[in-house]
């Protein structure tokens, strides 16, 4: 064999290629198959390839030994540069560019697969620097390793590199080293990088002018390097990403990368964290960061305030703009303070920047602080497993939103290198007022927020009230202005009890909290019209026709007393319906029984039967009861009750509930009322406010509990039914107010009558 | 879609912190418009001076409509002002959309403020802020 002199670069390159082809790991023979593939990748004609193999002596030997391989590679380079293939030219050609190999992706992948064992077996090449297992560097380490010892001394590259600072610590070079391997085969460049990286450890004191030169060596973003490995199998070096590189070294790096990246990409895939490899923090680095963190903040679960961090990082002598950008990247929760993870990420970015790597546009995954809601040390009661590593950020944040600061304090000291793949991207939520809506939206989305039933409601209520007012005004064209106003009042006030009712219902029925979010039910359907019309056609007419209703309101016209306190749900609906359904038993019975009814009223709405379903709304029920009681004082109510009683007798709570539920849009108001009336009659003797109150509420609420049973599987149906019930509620509220007005009128009439009676009485006495 | 022509941020002393315009327009004219609209902003926030106890509305709404464009204003509690100029050609622009834009601006501005390396009063050079504004302007145009 002709003696072959190779430049250092060529030596490295060829050795890499040989290793690449050394499938059997003999370190002496390159497998023919791979070699031929490689040669084919050189985009030379088959004839040339054959000629080369002949020249290098492989045909004689039958296999490619290392020297043959090297000769072949050099011949390929010669051929690619257009020179005639001559053995003599092996040593005579100077400044020969490295042979270039173009490989398709498939081949590359195939090679990757084949590369695994190769790279894995590069035992002697590894472990110069402690690296996480499975790192790519196995192959690269060869060159790197060679370089490492001579880092401080060798600087052949004419790059614009600064004088290498002797490394005080070797550890933190892994990502950088790996990067560099990938990027430059040229020894000098590689040398410089680790040197610079290593030297950066001593915090920020040393002048690092490397960064300027390093810019060209490091792509602007971490992903592109990996991407390039896929696309870099081209002749043209990606000059755009390596602007500062020496032309030859650039080319070398490209070509080397082709082979190198083939190996690396495999490992990248294997590690399943390809893009963030360069940004991964090694254990040594992390330990260093943690120590630095401790110097500022002894409590590892605490924060570093922004000012302290600013001072610390200013010592790195990076420009403020870059430090600002680093801060933006690393302060993930935007709270103005750095947790341990954030601090490590920031520190890592600073180190990278000082070593010449451009800052990424967004935080690499490996640097993202884990949104782990573990508060092991602090002991703050937070649902620890919720985030872990797999929780979606949306699910996490709503629970975290109110306690974001405490969340920050719970970063345990973790080894990021093992958990990159499962890193969750937290979606920080700040408690700025403007974010309340967004939070609500997230709460809605997650549907997991049970803790804030009212918060989403609060801001919605004004909107709801507006809606309701509109709805009310629309719905009651017949009513006076006062009606609309009062109805709107009832609606607005209804929101809270309704929502709370919904909440309670949910707690009972287990419906999703999404129902709660539906605080703004659509405007009730024109049921009130029906009710009004009914009342006008039947009840009201009869009731008031029989009575010298001078002060009576006209049928169909229900004046809502503006002062009517909002009474949601059953009571209201029951009462007005009671009015309507009562025929004939108007004033006379009303007045006569009014005193009786007063105490009995409580029974009216009740539904002690519904007690079973009664939810916890005694106070509201009580109010409603009182309201209903007053309203019921009207004779109509009494008569209606009786009439109603005669009806649906067998139907009990569940029946009423179900029917009330089922009959939604039009029917519900009357039916539930009837049933309630019936039950009222039955319960009249009982005269228990509480059960009745609860019963009233229970009727409406009872509808909901049944829902989950049947629909427990269908949340939408539940929500729909909830909506319908809410509509019913609003309608009933209106009815209630109407009836209350009627009650007042009737009371006045009664008083007038009694006065007349008194006036007449003296005669009787006499 | 509506077209945001330019977006300015002003510090409490009415110095511009951030100016971004669609280059196709004559920027100087809009700079002038925005600067004069600051008067309207000042007037709006000064009227509520006595009633500072209650929350002053951050969103100021349409400051001044001209035949070609509309100017919307927003002021934070620390008197940082945001002004957006929108092309009038599009009438589908809704108030809520402008509000949401201001909300995003405010949030991004808060992020910038949280950065300890940012000195209040400095021009805003945050990339995150820039990208957010670019996204807004691109989306709208």
């Amino acid at each position: 064999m002709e003696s072959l002199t190779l430049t250092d670069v060529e030596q490295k390159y060829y050795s890499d290629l040989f290793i690449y082809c050394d499938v059997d790991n003999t370190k002496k023979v390159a497998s023919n198959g791979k070699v031929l593939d490689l040669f084919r990748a050189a985009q030379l004609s088959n004839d040339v390839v054959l000629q080369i193999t002949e020249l290098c002596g492989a045909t004689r030997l039958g296999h490619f030994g290392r020297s043959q391989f090297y000769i072949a590679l050099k011949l390929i380079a010669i051929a690619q540069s257009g020179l005639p293939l001559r053995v003599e030219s092996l040593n005579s050609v100077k400044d020969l560019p490295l042979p270039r190999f173009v490989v398709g992706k498939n081949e590359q992948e195939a090679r990757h697969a084949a590369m695994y064992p190769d790279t894995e077996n590069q035992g002697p090449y590894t472990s110069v620097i402690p690296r996480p297992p499975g790192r790519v560097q196995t192959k690269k380490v060869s060159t790197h390793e060679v370089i490492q010892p001579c880092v401080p001394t060798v600087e052949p590259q004419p790059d614009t590199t600064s004088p290498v600072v002797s490394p005080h610590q070797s550890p933190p070079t892994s990502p950088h080293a790996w990067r560099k391997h990938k990027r430059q085969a040229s020894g000098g460049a590689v040398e410089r990088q680790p040197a610079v990286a290593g030297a950066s450890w001593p915090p920020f004191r040393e002048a690092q002018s490397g960064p300027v030169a390093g810019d060209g060596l490091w792509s602007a973003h971490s992903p592109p390097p990996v991407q390039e490995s896929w696309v870099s199998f081209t002749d043209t070096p990606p000059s755009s990403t390596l602007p500062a590189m020496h032309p030859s070294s650039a080319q070398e790096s490209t070509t080397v990368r082709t082979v190198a990246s083939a190996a690396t990409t495999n490992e990248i895939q294997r590690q399943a964290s390809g893009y963030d490899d360069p940004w991964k923090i090694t254990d040594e680095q992390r330990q260093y960061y943690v120590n630095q963190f401790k110097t500022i903040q002894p409590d590892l679960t605490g924060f570093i305030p922004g000012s302290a961090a600013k001072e610390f990082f200013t010592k790195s002598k990076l420009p403020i703009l870059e430090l600002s950008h680093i801060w933006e990247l690393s302060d993930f929760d935007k709270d103005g303070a750095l947790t341990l993870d954030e601090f490590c990420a920031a520190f890592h970015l600073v180190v990278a920047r000082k070593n010449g790597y451009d800052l990424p546009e967004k935080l690499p995954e490996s640097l993202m602080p884990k949104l782990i809601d573990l508060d092991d040390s602090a002991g703050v009661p937070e649902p620890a497993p919720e985030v872990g590593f797999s929780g979606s950020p949306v699910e996490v944040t709503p629970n975290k939103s109110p306690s974001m600061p405490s969340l920050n304090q719970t970063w345990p000291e973790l080894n990021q290198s093992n958990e990159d793949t499962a890193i969750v991207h937290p979606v920080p939520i700040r408690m700025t007022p403007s974010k309340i809506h967004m939070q609500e939206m997230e709460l809605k989305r997650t549907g997991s927020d049970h803790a804030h039933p009212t918060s989403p409601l609060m801001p919605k209520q004004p909107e709801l009230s507006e809606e309701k007012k509109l709805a009310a005004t629309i719905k009651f064209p017949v009513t006076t202005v006062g009606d609309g106003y009062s109805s709107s009042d009832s609606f607005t006030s209804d929101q809270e009890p309704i929502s709370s009712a919904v909440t309670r219902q949910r707690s009972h029925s287990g419906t999703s909290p999404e129902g709660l979010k539906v605080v703004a039910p659509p405007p009730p359907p024109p049921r009130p019209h029906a009710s009004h019309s009914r009342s006008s056609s039947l009840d009201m007419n009869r009731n008031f026709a029989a009575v010298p209703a001078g002060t009576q309101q006209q049928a169909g016209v229900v004046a809502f007393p503006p002062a009517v306190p909002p009474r949601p749900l059953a009571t209201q609906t029951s009462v007005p319906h009671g009015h309507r359904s009562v025929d004939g038993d108007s004033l006379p019975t009303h007045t006569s029984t009014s005193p009786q009814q007063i105490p009995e009223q409580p029974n009216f709405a009740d539904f002690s039967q519904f007690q079973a379903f009664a939810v916890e709304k005694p106070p509201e029920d009580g109010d409603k009861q009182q309201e209903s009681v007053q309203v019921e004082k009207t004779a109509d109510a009494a008569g209606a009750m009786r009439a109603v009683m005669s009806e649906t007798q067998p139907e009990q709570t569940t029946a009423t509930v179900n029917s009330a539920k089922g009959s939604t849009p039009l029917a519900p108001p009357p039916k539930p009322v009837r049933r309630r009336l019936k039950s009222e009659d039955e319960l009249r003797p009982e005269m228990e406010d509480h059960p009745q109150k609860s019963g009233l509420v229970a009727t409406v609420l009872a509808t909901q509990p049944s829902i989950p049973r049947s629909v427990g599987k269908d949340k939408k149906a539940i929500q729909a039914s909830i909506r319908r019930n809410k509509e019913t509620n609003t309608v009933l509220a209106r009815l209630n107010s109407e009836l209350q007005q009627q009650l007042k009128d009737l009371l006045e009439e009664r008083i007038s009558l009694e006065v007349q009676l008194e006036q007449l009485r003296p005669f009787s006495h006499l | 879609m509506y077209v945001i022509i330019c977006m300015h941020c002003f510090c409490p002393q009415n110095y511009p912190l951030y100016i971004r315009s669609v280059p196709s327009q004559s920027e100087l004219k809009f700079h002038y418009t925005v600067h004069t609209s600051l008067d309207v902003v000042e007037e709006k926030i000064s009227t509520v001076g006595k009633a500072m106890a209650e929350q002053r509305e951050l969103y100021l709404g349409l400051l001044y409509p001209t035949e070609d464009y509309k100017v919307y204003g927003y002021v934070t509690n620390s008197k940082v002002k945001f002004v957006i100029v929108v092309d009038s050609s599009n009438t589908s622009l809704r108030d809520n959309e402008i509000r949401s834009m201001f909300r995003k601006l405010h949030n991004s501005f808060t992020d910038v403020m949280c950065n300890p390396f940012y000195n209040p009063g400095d021009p805003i050079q945050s990339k995150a802020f820039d990208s957010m504004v670019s996204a807004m302007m691109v989306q709208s145009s």
Side-chain angles (χ1 to χ4, degrees):
Chain A
M1 295 278 109
E2 296 78 2
S3 64
L4 186 63
T5 58
L6 299 174
T7 64
D8 287 346
V9 175
E10 287 178 343
Q11 176 74 29
K12 309 283 181 306
Y13 184 40
Y14 292 168
S15 65
D16 286 346
L17 286 174
F18 187 81
I19 291 164
Y20 171 71
C21 293
D22 192 6
V23 179
D24 298 331
N25 193 24
T26 61
K27 299 189 183 55
K28 287 193 185 145
V29 176
S31 75
N32 285 358
K34 295 203 68 64
V35 171
L36 290 176
D37 285 346
L38 193 64
F39 290 170
R40 264 183 239 115
Q43 289 186 331
L44 297 172
S45 67
N46 282 344
D47 294 340
V48 176
V49 172
L50 284 175
Q51 192 176 3
I52 288 173
T53 53
E54 257 188 335
L55 280 177
C56 73
T59 48
R60 265 183 283 136
L61 288 176
H63 61 269
F64 278 96
R66 187 176 283 269
S67 52
Q68 285 85 35
F69 189 75
Y70 289 178
I71 292 169
L73 288 174
K74 186 120 191 194
L75 287 173
I76 287 173
I78 292 170
Q80 284 178 343
S81 55
L83 300 172
L85 286 180
R86 293 281 185 276
V87 173
E88 301 78 16
S89 59
L90 277 179
N91 291 327
S92 59
V93 176
K94 304 252 194 287
D95 295 331
L96 187 68
L98 288 179
R100 297 182 295 276
F101 298 94
V102 179
V103 181
K105 197 162 183 185
N106 294 335
E107 294 179 23
Q108 174 186 351
E109 289 171 352
R111 282 212 200 88
H112 295 335
M115 287 297 294
Y116 273 146
D118 285 350
T119 55
E120 285 304 315
N121 293 333
Q122 305 304 327
Y125 299 103
T126 56
S127 73
V128 174
I129 295 173
R131 288 198 166 79
R135 275 216 178 253
V136 173
Q137 294 73 353
T138 56
K139 186 177 158 84
K140 308 305 157 279
V141 180
S142 56
T143 54
H144 177 76
E145 170 189 41
V146 172
I147 293 159
Q148 190 69 2
C150 56
V151 160
T153 58
V154 181
E155 196 55 72
Q157 281 293 344
D159 292 348
T160 60
T161 63
S162 63
V164 176
V165 183
S166 59
H168 294 238
Q169 306 174 19
S170 62
T173 58
S174 55
H176 314 294
W178 179 82
R179 259 282 145 254
K180 298 154 205 158
H181 279 295
K182 230 174 150 309
R183 299 233 147 254
Q184 320 105 21
S186 54
V190 181
E191 293 173 16
R192 184 176 56 77
Q193 290 302 337
V196 174
S200 68
W201 280 124
F204 304 140
R205 299 290 149 66
E206 302 167 274
Q208 299 286 346
S209 50
V212 177
D215 288 349
L217 298 171
W218 181 273
S219 70
H221 329 282
S222 46
V226 177
Q227 295 165 358
E228 283 168 3
S229 69
W230 291 107
V231 302
S232 59
F233 281 70
T234 59
D235 286 342
T236 60
S239 56
S240 60
T241 58
L242 303 168
M245 289 208 50
H246 198 270
S248 61
S249 64
Q251 184 180 10
E252 294 164 359
S253 64
T254 321
T255 52
V256 172
R257 189 190 310 114
T258 61
V259 180
S261 52
T264 62
T265 48
N266 262 339
E267 267 132 351
I268 292 168
Q269 294 166 354
R270 215 153 47 91
Q271 296 169 12
S273 56
Y275 290 174
D276 54 8
D277 265 349
W279 296 103
K280 211 174 264 196
I281 303 179
T282 64
D283 294 343
E284 297 82 7
Q285 289 172 330
R286 186 153 184 108
Q287 194 53 45
Y288 184 78
Y289 299 151
V290 169
N291 292 336
Q292 292 295 314
F293 185 94
K294 281 185 194 157
T295 62
I296 308 177
Q297 163 72 280
D299 178 17
L300 287 178
T301 62
F303 295 95
I304 289 187
S307 52
K310 174 178 179 178
E311 290 176 26
F312 182 79
F313 288 114
T314 308
K315 286 188 287 187
S316 70
K317 297 192 178 46
L318 284 181
I320 294 291
L321 189 58
E322 297 189 4
L323 289 174
S324 175
H325 186 59
I326 288 176
W327 176 276
E328 280 183 358
L329 291 177
S330 56
D331 187 8
F332 209 76
D333 46 19
K334 302 276 183 269
D335 60 352
L338 295 181
T339 66
L340 179 61
D341 278 356
E342 291 174 343
F343 176 83
C344 291
F347 207 126
H348 200 63
L349 286 170
V350 170
V351 167
R353 191 75 187 97
K354 291 201 75 66
N355 292 332
Y357 300 113
D358 287 344
L359 296 176
E361 288 303 316
K362 61 184 188 67
L363 195 64
E365 281 188 19
S366 60
L367 293 181
M368 282 197 182
K370 299 178 183 42
L371 191 63
I372 300 170
D373 190 17
L374 306 176
D375 203 349
D376 319 308
S377 55
V380 172
E382 287 183 3
E386 23 188 331
V387 185
F389 295 117
S390 57
S392 72
V394 175
E395 292 167 6
V396 170
T397 47
N399 296 310
K400 297 299 166 291
S401 54
S403 59
M404 195 49 117
S406 61
L407 191 157
N408 292 335
Q409 297 165 359
T410 65
W411 302 137
E413 190 172 344
L414 299 172
N415 190 352
Q416 284 184 345
S417 59
N418 297 330
E419 292 143 347
D420 291 341
T421 60
I423 286 181
V424 172
H425 293 238
V427 176
I429 290 188
R430 293 175 307 167
M431 300 306 296
T432 56
S434 58
K435 285 269 188 174
I436 288 183
H437 283 280
M438 292 178 56
Q439 291 169 2
E440 294 168 5
M441 296 305 297
E442 294 205 16
L443 291 174
K444 278 186 184 176
R445 265 183 269 120
T446 60
S448 63
D449 187 9
H450 290 265
H452 305 275
T454 56
S455 61
L457 296 180
M458 303 306 289
K460 289 210 180 78
Q461 296 215 355
E463 306 163 10
L464 288 174
S465 59
E466 292 171 4
E467 293 178 7
K468 290 303 172 188
K469 282 176 184 170
L470 290 175
T473 52
I474 290 172
K475 282 191 189 171
F476 301 92
V478 187
T479 63
T480 63
V481 176
D483 297 347
Y485 172 68
S486 60
S487 61
S488 67
D489 283 343
S490 63
F491 292 145
T492 55
S493 50
D494 284 349
Q495 296 313 315
E496 278 178 349
I498 287 176
S499 56
S500 52
V502 174
T503 330
R504 294 204 195 83
Q505 295 162 14
R506 203 176 321 131
S507 61
H508 274 266
S509 62
T511 56
S512 81
E514 294 170 2
L516 178 63
K517 302 308 184 296
V518 185
V519 175
R527 270 179 258 132
H529 283 294
S531 63
H532 275 288
S533 60
R534 293 179 36 171
S535 62
S536 61
S537 61
L538 302 172
D539 307 330
M540 296 309 190
N541 290 334
R542 283 184 225 153
N543 294 338
F544 300 135
V547 179
T551 60
Q552 294 285 341
Q553 296 174 358
Q554 291 304 318
V557 176
V558 179
F560 289 92
V564 172
R567 292 291 174 253
L569 308 179
T571 52
Q572 300 159 354
T573 58
S574 64
V575 173
H577 284 288
H579 270 284
R580 298 186 206 124
S581 54
V582 172
D583 301 40
D585 295 329
S586 49
L587 285 179
T589 54
H590 159 64
T591 52
S592 59
T593 59
S594 57
Q596 302 171 7
Q597 288 177 10
I598 295 172
E600 293 174 351
Q601 290 296 334
N603 300 326
F604 169 79
D606 159 33
F607 316 136
S608 54
Q609 317 169 6
F610 295 74
Q611 260 181 348
F613 301 91
V615 193
E616 31 317 37
K617 295 188 71 173
E620 296 183 8
D621 295 349
D623 291 342
K624 287 182 267 181
Q625 285 290 341
Q626 293 165 3
E627 289 284 331
S628 60
V629 168
Q630 298 169 6
V631 181
E632 295 156 12
K633 282 181 185 175
T634 62
D636 301 342
M641 292 195 297
R642 293 192 208 108
V644 170
M645 272 200 56
S646 59
E647 302 175 13
T648 63
Q649 191 61 290
E651 287 177 308
Q652 293 303 320
T653 57
T654 54
T656 60
V657 171
N658 291 331
S659 59
K661 215 180 71 168
S663 59
T664 31
L666 289 178
K671 284 183 189 176
V673 174
R674 287 200 211 100
R675 306 228 171 79
R676 294 189 200 106
L677 293 175
K678 163 195 79 165
S679 54
E680 293 164 3
D681 276 346
E682 294 170 355
L683 302 168
R684 213 179 282 169
E686 296 180 11
M687 298 175 45
E688 292 175 349
D689 289 347
H690 253 281
Q692 290 150 7
K693 296 174 186 179
S694 58
L696 277 177
V697 183
T699 50
V700 178
L701 296 179
T703 63
Q704 271 87 14
S706 62
I707 295 175
R709 291 182 231 140
S710 57
V711 190
K713 315 115 188 179
D714 190 356
K715 285 183 181 176
K716 289 184 180 175
I718 292 174
Q719 293 168 17
S721 59
I722 289 176
R723 240 175 275 120
R724 288 194 298 270
N725 288 318
K726 286 182 183 170
E727 297 167 0
T728 308
N729 294 340
T730 55
V731 170
L732 296 179
R734 285 195 210 102
L735 293 172
N736 184 26
S737 53
E738 296 176 21
L739 292 172
Q740 285 167 357
Q741 187 60 36
Q742 294 176 13
L743 173 64
K744 287 183 185 176
D745 296 338
L746 290 172
L747 284 175
E748 292 176 6
E749 193 174 343
R750 173 198 163 194
I751 291 171
S752 66
L753 289 174
E754 284 181 354
V755 167
Q756 293 176 12
L757 192 61
E758 286 294 330
Q759 293 170 356
L760 295 171
R761 241 179 236 157
F763 298 86
S764 64
H765 287 313
L766 298 175
Chain B
M1 282 297 292
Y2 50 90
V3 178
I4 296 183
I5 297 181
C6 67
M7 201 285 297
H8 294 218
C9 296
F10 294 92
C11 74
Q13 291 79 28
N14 289 336
Y15 291 111
L17 296 178
Y18 186 83
I19 296 178
R20 171 75 74 88
S21 305
V22 171
S24 60
Q25 317 279 344
S26 55
E27 301 186 34
L28 204 55
K29 179 178 85 164
F30 294 112
H31 291 183
Y32 166 75
T33 305
V34 170
H35 195 76
T36 53
S37 69
L38 283 179
D39 281 341
V40 182
V41 173
E42 289 283 335
E43 171 192 338
K44 280 187 188 275
I45 63 178
S46 65
T47 54
V48 198
K50 297 302 178 188
M52 281 313 287
E54 51 182 281
Q55 172 80 357
R56 172 165 50 81
E57 175 65 36
L58 301 181
Y59 175 69
L60 301 176
L62 184 64
L63 296 176
Y64 187 75
T66 71
E67 63 223 8
D68 294 330
Y69 47 84
K70 304 192 186 81
V71 183
Y72 293 89
Y74 181 97
V75 61
T76 70
N77 283 325
S78 57
K79 300 286 179 59
V80 175
K81 305 164 188 71
F82 298 97
V83 179
I84 289 183
V85 179
V86 179
D87 191 7
S88 282
S89 62
N90 187 327
T91 55
S92 69
L93 179 58
R94 292 194 324 201
D95 195 56
N96 279 341
E97 292 167 356
I98 300 283
R99 278 181 193 266
S100 71
M101 291 201 296
F102 276 125
R103 200 176 303 127
K104 281 193 285 189
L105 272 176
H106 194 175
N107 290 334
S108 297
F109 179 76
T110 313
D111 289 340
V112 169
M113 276 296 167
C114 280
N115 189 334
F117 298 102
Y118 172 77
N119 302 314
D122 289 350
I124 295 177
Q125 290 164 316
S126 150
K127 291 184 192 170
F129 194 84
D130 285 341
S131 62
M132 190 274 304
V133 174
S134 303
M136 249 171 41
M137 304 189 86
V138 166
Q139 168 226 342
S140 65
S141 57

